[in-house]
Amino acid sequence: MDLFKARLDVKLPQLRAERTTLLKEHGDTQISTIAIEQVLGGMRAVPALLCETSSVSADEGLRIRNIPILELTKQTPEDIFFLLCTGVLPNDAERAEISAAFASRANVPDSVWDVLKALPKDTHPMVMLSIGILVLEKESAFRKAYEAGASKDDSWKATLEDCVTLLGGVTTIAAAIYRIRFGKGDLIVPKSGLDWSANFAYMLGVSDDASWQDLVRLYLVLHSDHEGGNVSAMTSHVVSSALSDVFYSVSAGLNGLAGPLHGLANQECLRFIMDLRQEFGGVPTDEALREYCVKRLGSGQVIPGYGHAVLRVTDPRFTAFHQFAEQHNLNDDNVQFMKKLFAIVPEVLKEQGKAKNPWPNVDAASGSLLYYYGMTEFEFYTVMFGVSRAMGICSQILVHRMLGSSIVRPKSVTLAELGSMIK
Ligand code: CMX
């Protein structure tokens, strides 16, 4: 990873100088106030976290290093990881280096399989992923360097090593989880000559179709990062701020991704579509679907895949998947449901008047496409998301290590203290 490290080495002085200047010259400048509804409402919109890798705006959605995600849909995940970490897309030599580095870590220790195979057969795939990553922790270069008394200034180098070990291995682990958990037969070993996402698509053993490989590539690109305040990224950052290594930190973040209001929504989306198929025995009329959605909202359930804590427009990642379905002429019942829901749900949510954003997020489309290619086990979908999101989390942790960021320790208050603050 010499080329990769060299890029970061060049960036380092400017990055650290920027932080030092802000702290020294403007450390006590007020940038925001906080209202009680934010304290009680999940700290929504409080600008209290630093994230250099990507940003999400209400009216446009995700930008990675200031490039709109819809301009990055042809890249490889290796390109995206390099971009997240360094701020630029890799040249050919850098791309080859990172692909080779991931491939060199694709074979994980046998202890991972021993642990995964010992779990109860009906363990959720996200539990398996989180545990599989924790088993890799034994390999942590960062922890070893810390124990050997390495300087804090250089700790990012061991962190980068850990990121590559984690990302190189996570596709092998995730593919194995799919095959073990859903009885798909022998594990498929990584194949030389394939890049990271093509190998992942191959090891899953879902389809030989070339466009399946392309979907997995796109999937890993689109879910890679979503700035620093979402549950998984923020959780990982908090854990990592205690100088826990990336294996502890990513595993912790993925436990948050496993929640139905966050990454599990893609599983819930497909479950929702399967329930609809059963209810109607096929694709219903617009009016029947509309009534079903209204009834569901009336019973206090959410419509999975719709709404967002930040976005106020259609998620561009949904648009990218929608375009993929059009370009590849995917048109089974689930894809039709995905399109029909897009035409109906926003109006229903607007009429209900609760959701601040009635538009679809990425989860409204991703599952239908995976299902189309034969990945019908929707409990696995959040693992696909997790593999991709591990890139963003790793890159965010790496940048924090480069900056020497502080341990996270905000102040908590009681309801009574909030009451007395009003007075
Ligand atoms: N269906 C029904 N009600 C919804 C809704 C939806 N899709 N989206 C929001 N609402 C409701 C909220 O539950 C909330 O109701 P209460 O006031 O009764 O609590 C109200 O509308 C206001 O919520 P909001 O401010 O618009 O949204 P939040 O920031 O609180 O929550 C999110 C955001 C994503 C959790 C929410 O939109 C939701 O539950 N969506 C469905 C699940 C989903 O798709 N999650 C994936 C998000 C992407 C990701 O993070 O991975």
Side-chain angles (χ1 to χ4, degrees):
M1 293 290 280
D2 291 345
L3 298 174
F4 203 131
K5 280 191 187 132
R7 277 277 193 180
L8 294 175
D9 243 338
V10 170
K11 227 181 134 51
L12 201 61
Q14 187 222 331
L15 194 66
R16 285 184 179 165
E18 216 176 311
R19 179 180 191 268
T20 308
T21 307
L22 279 170
L23 261 180
K24 266 197 181 154
E25 293 176 16
H26 307 284
D28 55 1
T29 303
Q30 301 298 310
I31 56 162
S32 181
T33 52
I34 182 162
I36 284 180
E37 67 179 348
Q38 290 173 299
V39 177
L40 299 179
M43 296 190 281
R44 202 69 88 252
V46 178
L49 287 164
L50 189 72
C51 175
E52 293 289 288
T53 56
S54 67
S55 57
V56 179
S57 64
D59 57 352
E60 189 195 41
L62 174 64
R63 276 175 176 252
I64 293 184
R65 293 285 188 171
N66 213 21
I67 305 176
I69 189 66
L70 286 176
E71 290 176 24
L72 292 167
T73 54
K74 298 283 174 237
Q75 308 297 144
T76 67
E78 287 94 325
D79 293 342
I80 300 296
F81 181 60
F82 194 91
L83 174 65
L84 285 163
C85 295
T86 67
V88 290
L89 284 163
N91 60 34
D92 288 346
E94 289 163 335
R95 181 176 298 115
E97 182 189 63
I98 185 163
S99 244
F102 282 170
S104 73
R105 319 278 170 107
N107 289 305
V108 301
D110 285 343
S111 50
V112 173
W113 310 136
D114 296 341
V115 171
L116 291 187
K117 284 179 180 162
L119 292 171
K121 298 233 169 311
D122 56 352
T123 301
H124 193 281
M126 280 302 281
V127 176
M128 298 173 82
L129 183 68
S130 183
I131 290 177
I133 287 172
L134 273 183
V135 179
L136 283 186
E137 198 279 334
K138 221 166 85 49
E139 313 289 314
S140 173
F142 176 84
R143 184 170 47 76
K144 284 175 196 136
Y146 185 82
E147 283 167 5
S151 117
K152 187 181 172 189
D153 275 358
D154 281 342
S155 70
W156 65 271
K157 290 179 186 158
T159 299
L160 178 60
E161 282 303 314
D162 282 356
C163 293
V164 174
T165 302
L166 192 153
L167 294 172
V170 75
T171 42
T172 313
I173 295 174
I177 290 170
Y178 181 65
R179 300 192 67 77
I180 295 169
R181 177 64 174 72
F182 299 106
K184 296 287 173 182
D186 292 342
L187 304 191
I188 301 174
V189 294
K191 191 177 188 176
S192 64
L194 294 182
D195 71 10
W196 193 55
S197 63
N199 227 330
F200 184 35
Y202 167 76
M203 289 188 288
L204 286 163
V206 168
S207 165
D208 293 331
D209 198 312
S211 61
W212 162 246
Q213 269 191 14
D214 203 34
L215 176 66
V216 173
R217 180 198 58 73
L218 180 66
Y219 197 103
L220 297 190
V221 165
L222 294 180
H223 291 81
S224 58
D225 205 31
H226 220 227
E227 67 167 46
N230 63 77
V231 168
S232 48
M234 186 167 72
T235 303
S236 295
H237 168 54
V238 173
V239 173
S240 142
S241 80
L243 295 189
S244 299
D245 57 54
V246 295
F247 303 97
Y248 283 121
S249 311
V250 172
S251 173
L254 293 182
N255 295 340
L257 193 73
L261 295 188
H262 191 15
L264 204 79
N266 57 11
Q267 164 185 321
E268 295 309 301
C269 255
L270 225 283
R271 197 195 300 279
F272 175 50
I273 287 180
M274 298 312 284
D275 288 350
L276 286 170
R277 278 177 66 170
Q278 197 168 7
E279 169 90 11
F280 293 107
V283 184
T285 62
D286 287 6
E287 200 38 51
L289 188 57
R290 199 180 176 288
E291 268 173 35
Y292 185 94
C293 292
V294 171
K295 210 164 131 201
R296 183 180 167 97
L297 288 177
S299 72
Q301 290 176 278
V302 299
I303 308 279
Y306 284 77
H308 200 272
V310 178
L311 279 168
R312 294 296 175 260
V313 291
T314 295
D315 188 337
R317 302 168 302 167
F318 173 88
T319 305
F321 278 135
H322 198 277
Q323 284 170 355
F324 184 97
E326 296 287 310
Q327 281 155 10
H328 292 85
N329 217 5
L330 313 186
N331 217 12
D332 65 1
D333 275 4
N334 290 349
V335 176
Q336 283 187 48
F337 263 114
M338 180 258 282
K339 292 179 182 171
K340 237 181 206 299
L341 287 165
F342 182 35
I344 287 165
V345 172
E347 285 311 313
V348 174
L349 283 173
K350 276 188 216 166
E351 279 164 25
Q352 190 213 25
K354 263 169 77 177
K356 294 193 185 74
N357 174 34
W359 301 106
N361 59 60
V362 66
D363 298 325
S366 55
S368 301
L369 305 198
L370 294 175
Y371 198 99
Y372 178 90
Y373 284 95
M375 185 179 271
T376 56
E377 301 81 3
F378 44 83
E379 277 193 309
F380 187 73
Y381 293 175
T382 313
V383 172
M384 298 290 291
F385 191 160
V387 168
S388 172
R389 185 51 61 88
M391 283 193 289
I393 294 175
C394 280
S395 60
Q396 291 193 24
I397 292 172
L398 177 67
V399 175
H400 278 296
R401 290 275 185 268
M402 290 168 72
L403 283 165
S405 295
S406 310
I407 187 167
V408 178
R409 186 33 172 118
K411 175 84 186 101
S412 61
V413 288
T414 63
L415 287 170
E417 282 169 333
L418 278 180
S420 56
M421 284 174 192
I422 302 167
K423 287 172 203 146

